[in-house]
Amino acid sequence: MPSRPRHLDQRGRLAVRALRSVNATSRALGRGSGTVAGGRVALGIDHDILRKLLRGRDVVLVSGTNGKTTTTALVRAALGVNSASNITGANMAAGIVAALANDNTATCVLEVDEPWLPTVMDAAADAASRSVVLLNLSRDQLDRASEVRQLAQRWQTGITKATQSASWRVIANVADPLIAYAVRDVSNVIACAMPMTWRSDAVSCPVCTRPLVFTSDTPPMWTCTCGFAPPTPAAVFGDTLHVEGRSVPLQMSLPGRFNESNAAMAVVAAHALDVSLADAADRVSRVTSVAGRFDVRRWGERTFRLLLAKNPAGVEALIETVAAEGRPLVVSINANLADGRDPSWLYDAPFQRLQGATVWCDGSRALDLATRLDYAGVAAQLVTDDATFPHCLPDDAVIDVIANYTAFAQWLKKSVPC
Amino acid sequence: MLRIAVIYPELLGTYGDGGNGLVLRERALRRGFEATLVSVSIEESLPDAEIYLLGGGEDGPQRRATDALRTDGTLAQRLDDGATLFAVCAGLQIIGQSFAVEGGDTYPGLGLTALETVRGASRRVGELLVDVDGNDLVGFENHGGHTISHGANPLGVVRRGYGNDGEVDGIHEGGLLGTYAHGPVLAMNPWLADRLLARALGRELEPLATVADRLHTERVRVVRQMSRVP
């Protein structure tokens, strides 16, 4: 039994007991950990339970469209201390409540769903210390989430309010104009400039909608005729990470340029929390897999590397990696509620960069993907039968699988660790 | 040479809208026609083209795109001269008399058709199935508008989803076509892409078999099985 969370009044203790009861019942019925259900019950009993569970802790929040889970894991590694976290990926209030109720550790590093960030920041007002890492904002699941400019506006309002009522370390990737917009009224931002391949949501100014002019690629810098421009970055990542006049190389075990950026943000966050740059960089270099992502696994006598991408910016980042390595490739696309029910976004992802390759199209929206690839000039094969499919693939190479959210879960379930 | 112009993709390209231009160009090229696809930025004048495409966008970009097209001032004449304009979602609202923006205000549209868009009772998010002269138009809608026809000729009759007003969807007047099925709707509806191409090229087109035919059949089958109202 986990220890009793500190600082809880009678209502808070009742909420946590109910949460654990729901968790236990769910597990007994074989319906999973009951994390979110338990968190919802706790929030129903005590609307203030999140604030109470965060009280007195050292809190680090991580949010953004892409890289939340990975960066959260990298921040935890970089800090080098035990920390509580929502490792199941349940990143709305209920999931965060459940994670905190079951782990009393003084430091907590939490990934936060983008629309929930203002709420969670507000709830952290009584924490011992508060830090937030803001990665990027781009189009994602428009059928259930806000359009991205609206989201940036909500962040701007919420982050400004939270930082006016309590002190925060705000570590923000201001190379992304929407992030710079979200923190424009925040003083003492630790401004970072990370490589940025996805720019389709950064073409027009978040303030006035005029076209932004990129004045530099490394680091990505931009300006608008209305005067809106990012603050001078304190941390820049190109080939190495430069922080306030010092530089540190990042040798990553995780694949991809995007993970170097995630790691750089994690190192800057840890540095802001008094970890040396060298220690933080060393620690993130040892992380090899995060929640199954980038894992190499076996299924049907074949070996697969599982890669998660849920939106065009995520796919673009992975295409850069898989195209360079040239392995056989499966792309698996579902359109369940958690994926977004509308796969129109496939046309925003640069699949044409896979020309010359053959892509196996998998998932409930394989036909949408095959059509997209056909118009992009990429050879597509439809996966029609899970029983025979692996035998169509080479058995002497690692096969890359890019899957969106629920498709990724299905691949994790049907495969086993090597 | 068939010229396809995507208008202001930096403002009206919220969710895969660029796919429509790609589909039109590819289906023309595969039939042996010469075709080019150009993106027109907001700082450029509209170029000569046979097909113009307007996509979806958020409120601020939608207003800015409307202003820029009003300033450019050539779209109505180009339509009179025989060009084809295909407008989806916010694009559909832009070509009307007026549309609703945040805060309940009304913004003047381009007035290319009688359509008037007011704020709907709720946001309409889900699969859209429209009967267009016996053809199935299938796609996904995601908008907060309620569009009043005022006698304008709709593209088709809504079978599932909301479209303009729960009864009809879009617009079809001469070379002006539009729908609330957003994003790359032509990818899912190759017959509609070919109808636009045939009009722009001024000739009947031979059938072109692609995997998109299977996608269309599959999506129509799936959406027909859903309840009429999301």
Side-chain angles (χ1 to χ4, degrees):
Chain A
M1 173 63 75
S3 59
R4 195 174 79 183
R6 302 164 297 179
H7 307 303
L8 287 186
D9 57 10
Q10 190 175 6
R11 181 178 284 271
R13 289 197 298 273
L14 180 65
V16 168
R17 274 203 296 276
L19 179 150
R20 289 179 180 157
S21 173
V22 171
N23 288 172
T25 305
S26 180
R27 280 193 294 269
L29 293 172
R31 294 185 180 176
S33 64
T35 306
V36 173
R40 284 191 185 134
V41 168
L43 281 163
I45 292 170
D46 185 349
H47 295 308
D48 221 19
I49 188 65
L50 181 55
R51 179 181 300 271
K52 292 173 185 174
L53 288 168
L54 289 168
R55 184 173 293 154
R57 303 209 212 199
D58 295 308
V59 175
V60 183
L61 308 179
V62 179
S63 196
T65 306
N66 285 318
K68 288 184 289 292
T69 303
T70 301
T71 307
T72 299
L74 291 166
V75 170
R76 296 182 76 197
L79 290 176
V81 297
N82 287 333
S83 56
S85 188
N86 46 344
I87 55 172
T88 64
N91 58 15
M92 303 185 202
I96 293 170
V97 164
L100 295 173
N102 287 317
D103 191 335
N104 199 17
T105 309
T107 298
C108 55
V109 184
L110 303 162
E111 69 163 274
V112 184
D113 187 49
E114 301 90 278
W116 282 94
L117 183 66
T119 303
V120 179
M121 285 184 74
D122 183 55
D126 302 329
S129 71
R130 287 161 297 272
S131 307
V132 62
V133 181
L134 306 172
L135 300 171
N136 50 68
L137 284 176
S138 66
R139 60 192 69 185
D140 185 30
Q141 298 191 22
L142 293 194
D143 62 307
R144 69 185 190 116
S146 300
E147 289 168 334
V148 66
R149 284 169 180 270
Q150 289 176 25
L151 184 59
Q153 177 65 58
R154 284 166 60 186
W155 270 27
Q156 204 257 335
T157 305
I159 293 170
T160 302
K161 178 169 169 273
T163 53
Q164 283 171 349
S165 55
S167 62
W168 281 85
R169 291 182 189 88
V170 179
I171 299 103
N173 176 21
V174 298
D176 184 329
L178 292 171
I179 297 287
Y181 176 71
V183 300
R184 65 188 296 219
D185 293 330
V186 178
S187 53
N188 301 321
V189 170
I190 301 172
C192 308
M194 297 295 146
M196 190 176 172
T197 52
W198 176 260
R199 293 186 182 176
S200 296
D201 291 304
V203 283
S204 72
C205 176
V207 176
C208 72
T209 74
R210 290 189 187 92
L212 288 176
V213 178
F214 273 79
T215 53
S216 153
D217 275 338
T218 311
M221 281 291 117
W222 44 268
T223 185
C224 178
T225 52
C226 76
F228 183 53
T232 304
V236 173
F237 180 60
D239 294 328
T240 59
L241 174 62
H242 298 271
V243 184
E244 294 163 353
R246 281 178 289 171
S247 72
V248 56
L250 293 177
Q251 305 291 336
M252 297 295 294
S253 301
L254 293 175
R257 182 80 169 149
F258 54 98
N259 275 328
E260 292 178 347
S261 294
N262 293 334
M265 291 295 287
V267 168
V268 174
H271 182 58
L273 291 163
D274 300 325
V275 176
S276 79
L277 287 174
D279 284 349
D282 179 55
R283 289 167 183 159
V284 298
S285 73
R286 298 165 197 237
V287 176
T288 56
S289 163
V290 178
R293 300 161 196 203
F294 323 109
D295 257 0
V296 176
R297 296 171 70 89
R298 294 282 290 175
W299 175 56
E301 299 174 4
R302 300 291 186 277
T303 305
F304 299 88
R305 180 171 63 165
L306 303 191
L307 305 163
L308 176 75
K310 301 176 283 191
N311 49 47
V315 168
E316 178 172 50
L318 286 180
I319 281 176
E320 187 183 11
T321 302
V322 301
E325 298 183 10
R327 297 170 171 178
L329 179 62
V330 180
V331 180
S332 187
I333 300 294
N334 286 349
N336 296 318
L337 190 62
D339 306 303
R341 292 174 293 149
D342 173 19
S344 294
W345 61 269
L346 292 171
Y347 287 82
D348 288 327
F351 283 106
Q352 66 276 8
R353 293 185 199 163
L354 294 172
Q355 284 171 1
T358 297
V359 177
W360 288 88
C361 303
D362 183 39
S364 65
R365 301 306 287 266
L367 275 169
D368 297 75
L369 175 65
T371 299
R372 168 70 184 107
L373 292 170
D374 178 39
Y375 285 129
V378 179
Q381 293 273 357
L382 284 163
V383 175
T384 52
D385 179 6
D386 250 13
T388 57
F389 167 56
H391 304 293
C392 304
L393 297 166
D395 61 2
D396 59 347
V398 176
I399 299 147
D400 275 333
V401 178
I402 297 176
N404 68 346
Y405 198 75
T406 65
F408 186 86
Q410 289 165 348
W411 272 87
L412 264 184
K413 191 172 178 184
K414 68 188 176 189
S415 60
V416 296
C418 282
Chain B
M1 170 70 78
L2 176 73
R3 295 163 296 183
I4 304 156
V6 182
I7 299 175
Y8 311 153
E10 70 272 34
L11 296 175
L12 301 174
T14 308
Y15 219 44
D17 303 81
N20 289 328
L22 175 69
V23 168
L24 289 170
R25 186 190 64 187
E26 287 301 307
R27 296 185 75 82
L29 290 174
R30 289 181 196 188
R31 288 183 168 99
F33 297 103
E34 288 187 53
T36 61
L37 179 60
V38 295
S39 293
V40 187
S41 98
I42 192 152
E43 295 182 317
E44 297 173 299
S45 301
L46 285 192
D48 291 336
E50 283 67 47
I51 301 179
Y52 295 92
L53 298 172
L54 275 175
E58 299 180 55
D59 282 358
Q62 181 180 356
R63 286 198 305 271
R64 185 158 181 80
T66 307
D67 289 344
L69 285 170
R70 207 187 328 272
T71 302
D72 181 88
T74 64
L75 202 48
Q77 186 60 49
R78 292 173 189 280
L79 281 168
D80 286 345
D81 292 345
T84 301
L85 172 63
F86 182 59
V88 305
C89 204
L92 176 68
Q93 298 180 357
I94 285 173
I95 61 175
Q97 298 295 322
S98 64
F99 53 87
V101 292
E102 67 268 27
D105 291 336
T106 298
Y107 207 75
L110 297 179
L112 302 178
T113 176
L115 297 181
E116 175 195 3
T117 300
V118 298
R119 183 70 69 197
S122 62
R123 194 163 183 86
R124 308 291 172 170
V125 184
E127 312 287 343
L128 179 63
L129 182 64
V130 181
D131 181 340
V132 182
D133 312 325
N135 295 291
D136 289 312
L137 170 71
V138 64
F140 200 92
E141 63 181 332
N142 186 351
H143 62 97
H146 173 90
T147 297
I148 304 161
S149 293
H150 292 305
N153 187 54
L155 183 63
V157 177
V158 172
R159 298 298 184 209
R160 202 266 178 192
Y162 194 76
N164 292 3
D165 56 3
E167 301 292 332
V168 298
D169 176 59
I171 183 76
H172 186 185
E173 292 180 338
L176 189 59
L177 292 95
T179 174
Y180 266 116
H182 78 178
V185 57
L186 297 182
M188 207 176 272
N189 297 276
W191 66 269
L192 182 58
D194 288 351
R195 186 175 283 195
L196 295 174
L197 284 176
R199 184 183 192 283
L201 292 163
R203 67 174 79 185
E204 294 282 312
L205 297 177
E206 293 295 314
L208 177 72
T210 62
V211 66
D213 301 330
R214 287 180 63 186
L215 172 64
H216 179 253
T217 302
E218 170 70 5
R219 293 312 302 162
V220 170
R221 184 187 68 76
V222 169
V223 175
R224 275 202 180 131
Q225 290 171 350
M226 296 176 171
S227 61
R228 189 185 184 284
V229 179

